[in-house]
Amino acid sequence: MKAKHLFFFVLVFILTLGSLTSSGVCAERYPDRPIQLVIPMPPGGFMDIIGRWVAEDLERTLGTKVIVMNKLEPR
């Protein structure tokens, strides 16, 4: 009975150790390319101004370029 418990403990320990060591190796810096912030309103409106303000704050916080894009859905 003790051998079963020991085997289970060793197995869990090895799986846990393996998951901890592999996660650091595969980690990438996020975001690895510029972020596109899509605003579904025409340029110059209230939502455009707020979106550009949010984009500036995101650039400072994340340390990456944020591109603001105004895209209107065709009717």
Side-chain angles (χ1 to χ4, degrees):
M1 192 68 151
K2 282 188 174 187
K4 264 188 179 176
H5 291 290
L6 182 62
F7 174 76
F8 180 75
F9 176 78
V10 170
L11 180 66
V12 169
F13 177 76
I14 290 172
L15 291 175
T16 305
L17 186 64
S19 68
L20 291 176
T21 57
S22 65
S23 64
V25 174
C26 298
E28 294 181 10
R29 188 178 176 283
Y30 177 82
D32 59 346
R33 58 182 177 228
I35 298 172
Q36 294 180 352
L37 179 64
V38 178
I39 300 174
M41 299 296 215
F46 178 73
M47 291 301 291
D48 182 52
I49 294 169
I50 297 297
R52 292 180 189 277
W53 178 66
V54 168
E56 287 178 12
D57 192 43
L58 279 174
E59 281 184 3
R60 276 183 272 144
T61 304
L62 298 176
T64 189
K65 183 75 174 159
V66 178
I67 301 169
V68 178
M69 300 173 54
N70 295 90
K71 287 193 175 183
L72 299 176
E73 189 174 308
R75 293 182 185 189

